[in-house]
Amino acid sequence: MSHLVVYESWLDGHGRDLPSLLDELGCSWTFVTRKKEHYRRAHGMHPIVSRADRVVEVETNEVETALPYVRDLVGSGSAGIFTVCDYYIPHVVELCDRLRLPCAYPGAASIVHDKARTRALLDEAGIPNPRYVLTDSVDRAASFAARVGYPVVCKPADMAASVLINRVENEEELRSAFSAVSGFTRNFREQPRDSSVLVEEWLTGREFSVETSAVDGKITVHGVTQKVLDDRGRFIEVGHQFPAPLSEDETRRIEEFTRDCLHAVGHDHGVTHTEVTMTERGPRLVEINSRPGGGNIVDLVRAVTGCDLLLAEVMMALGRHYEPPALHGGTGSAASAFLIPDRAGTVREIAGVESASARTNVERVEVHAELPEQVEEAVDNAARMCVVIARDPEGPDASRYAQEALKQLDLVYEGE
Ligand SMILES: Nc1ncnc2c1ncn2[C@@H]1O[C@H](COP(=O)(O)OP(=O)(O)O)[C@@H](O)[C@H]1O
Ligand SMILES: [Mg+2]
């Protein structure tokens, strides 16, 4: 039986999946956190805390402070350190390095955590970027935007989950978005942030992500995922499909582009989820994440290829070899569709789960809400109440099956 140090976690996404995955692997864990209370939910403690062998409370934002505690855990048998919270990947990289442990992330994980540094390395490698500027001066941002033309995106260089991403159409909006981003001086884990703002030319085109894993320099591309966006102009993902319904040529082009980006930043180890927009002038990078894709992308890749990218990442943290099971004849597609609230209120019930689950090619419907739940109108990706997972075993239509099943689901609000 192996033991892992889990160094902070998201509450949702892979944070929801990790405890069961570790149980299945026969791996126990110590949870290291700066604030156990952060993991208290409406109906009790999050399983990453309640099912841990032990919980250590220490200031995880400071590697120097956490190091002696983690060193003791490693001394008493922990085989590795792992996190599913993006904000702690650089900390885990440093801890693994200092303690000479195997690591699920490369040194470059700390580079790609910074979107402006990533762009600079692409420039150096001659890979086309959108025009961009990183600045702490709103006047410089405004003159950049006037030069490249609106709309532009105004975003933090170091955050995640679509927080504070602003598409701005004019100078007035730019000034207000700029001050919102630069005024956000600490992230959600109270880590200090730089007040600089990343302003980028707006990329027009379809959005994809490329899922890869690499062991010591050898990158395997598992495929391209299509992001299905809300059709009301918000940055809300309403689903994904893997593989993306693209021609072989288009797929190869996006995959090659991603390999070039990973080489440019030196990302030669671990699992990545690289977001790419296919513009009229070719693929352009949105960002590289040093972890598997969220929003059930891990489930979609596993359904089609057999490879479990979250498991692969955990195995790398444990210093163990992961061999995905071989699948035969898997040429179909898998897709997710998300149910998100379109207005504020208290949701007391999700209707239609049984009939949606019973539809052809629907694998399952996951209810992520803890009802009754107070919700706001969705503004980012955190607002998923339900996820439909569908599979087309033969062809490219999984997303159609998932979106059709989603129509059976309804949020029932209190007072209705
Ligand atoms: N330069 C850009 N042009 C067009 N859309 C963008 C641009 N930058 C970000 N976006 C949109 O915002 C989303 C979130 O931005 P991203 O940089 O990936 O932030 P996060 O780390 O929060 O995921 C992207 O998936 C894309 O839809
Ligand atoms: Mg992103």
Side-chain angles (χ1 to χ4, degrees):
M1 172 122 171
S2 46
H3 190 88
L4 196 61
V5 173
V6 179
Y7 199 85
E8 303 286 5
S9 173
W10 292 123
L11 293 166
D12 295 321
H14 298 147
R16 186 188 306 107
D17 304 331
L18 188 65
S20 318
L21 185 140
L22 292 177
D23 282 346
E24 274 166 38
L25 203 58
C27 181
S28 57
W29 69 93
T30 298
F31 189 58
V32 178
T33 177
R34 61 194 301 272
K35 211 187 249 178
K36 192 169 145 187
E37 276 310 300
H38 182 88
Y39 297 87
R40 187 175 297 286
R41 302 182 308 176
H43 304 288
M45 268 295 175
H46 191 285
I48 199 71
V49 171
S50 63
R51 280 154 55 186
D53 271 12
R54 210 178 134 193
V55 178
V56 174
E57 252 182 321
V58 59
E59 182 46 88
T60 47
N61 287 346
E62 291 161 13
V63 168
E64 227 41 73
T65 311
L67 181 67
Y69 295 84
V70 178
R71 183 184 282 126
D72 279 355
L73 292 166
V74 171
S76 54
S78 274
I81 317 170
F82 189 71
T83 184
V84 287
C85 178
D86 299 31
Y87 295 134
Y88 292 95
I89 292 176
H91 303 66
V92 172
V93 169
E94 192 179 338
L95 286 164
C96 290
D97 186 47
R98 302 269 294 267
L99 297 169
R100 302 194 184 290
L101 286 171
C103 192
Y105 326 98
S110 306
I111 296 177
V112 301
H113 190 65
D114 179 340
K115 293 172 194 178
R117 235 174 123 195
T118 305
R119 293 242 179 266
L121 287 171
L122 262 58
D123 285 342
E124 269 176 38
I127 298 171
N129 262 321
R131 283 171 290 177
Y132 68 97
V133 67
L134 178 74
T135 179
D136 57 7
S137 148
V138 69
D139 291 331
R140 216 175 141 218
S143 64
F144 166 83
R147 200 165 61 247
V148 307
Y150 287 94
V152 293
V153 68
C154 199
K155 66 183 186 181
D158 60 355
M159 290 184 70
S162 290
V163 174
L164 287 170
I165 308 285
N166 301 275
R167 174 185 152 123
V168 298
E169 305 288 346
N170 53 49
E171 186 168 333
E172 193 189 339
E173 284 180 17
L174 176 91
R175 287 183 181 272
S176 130
F178 192 99
S179 75
V181 177
S182 68
F184 203 78
T185 54
R186 290 195 173 253
N187 68 19
F188 295 116
R189 299 303 175 112
E190 295 173 60
Q191 295 169 343
R193 294 193 54 245
D194 184 17
S195 61
S196 299
V197 176
L198 183 58
V199 186
E200 294 183 347
E201 186 183 349
W202 185 256
L203 295 168
T204 303
R206 286 181 298 163
E207 288 189 52
F208 301 97
S209 60
V210 183
E211 322 311 327
T212 75
S213 61
V215 179
D216 297 329
K218 191 175 173 302
I219 298 175
T220 304
V221 177
H222 298 277
V224 180
T225 311
Q226 178 185 33
K227 185 195 275 197
V228 186
L229 281 178
D230 180 36
D231 54 12
R232 282 185 279 173
R234 306 175 296 182
F235 300 108
I236 300 176
E237 298 166 14
V238 294
H240 293 111
Q241 171 162 312
F242 181 89
L246 289 167
S247 70
E248 264 180 44
D249 267 5
E250 286 173 312
T251 300
R252 198 172 319 114
R253 193 162 175 212
I254 294 172
E255 290 183 353
E256 286 306 314
F257 173 80
T258 299
R259 275 183 192 277
D260 291 345
C261 292
L262 294 174
H263 285 136
V265 297
H267 209 298
D268 59 357
H269 183 73
V271 176
T272 66
H273 165 72
T274 301
E275 297 173 350
V276 173
T277 298
M278 197 62 184
T279 71
E280 264 180 1
R281 298 163 70 195
R284 295 290 183 273
L285 182 74
V286 176
E287 63 155 347
I288 299 170
N289 294 286
S290 304
R291 51 153 175 87
N296 294 81
I297 288 176
V298 166
D299 297 320
L300 309 185
V301 175
R302 190 184 47 227
V304 175
T305 71
C307 182
D308 184 326
L309 291 168
L310 185 58
L311 178 58
E313 200 187 21
V314 170
M315 295 288 268
M316 276 185 232
L318 290 166
R320 279 159 55 183
H321 176 71
Y322 171 64
E323 190 64 51
L327 285 189
H328 299 289
T331 52
S333 55
S336 57
F338 310 135
L339 182 67
I340 52 179
D342 55 8
R343 65 185 173 89
T346 303
V347 175
R348 65 174 165 85
E349 195 194 324
I350 296 173
V353 172
E354 253 181 51
S355 54
S357 312
R359 288 181 69 97
T360 316
N361 289 340
V362 169
E363 296 233 315
R364 62 179 187 280
V365 176
E366 295 176 3
V367 177
H368 290 177
E370 288 180 3
L371 302 175
E373 190 171 313
Q374 184 86 37
V375 298
E376 300 299 325
E377 183 186 339
V379 289
D380 59 32
N381 293 329
R384 292 164 195 164
M385 311 282 297
C386 240
V387 178
V388 178
I389 306 281
R391 179 100 168 84
D392 178 358
E394 306 287 329
D397 289 328
S399 190
R400 185 164 59 78
Y401 292 120
Q403 295 292 340
E404 275 169 11
L406 190 75
K407 289 186 194 143
Q408 308 262 298
L409 299 174
D410 237 334
L411 296 179
V412 185
Y413 287 77
E414 228 139 65
E416 283 181 349

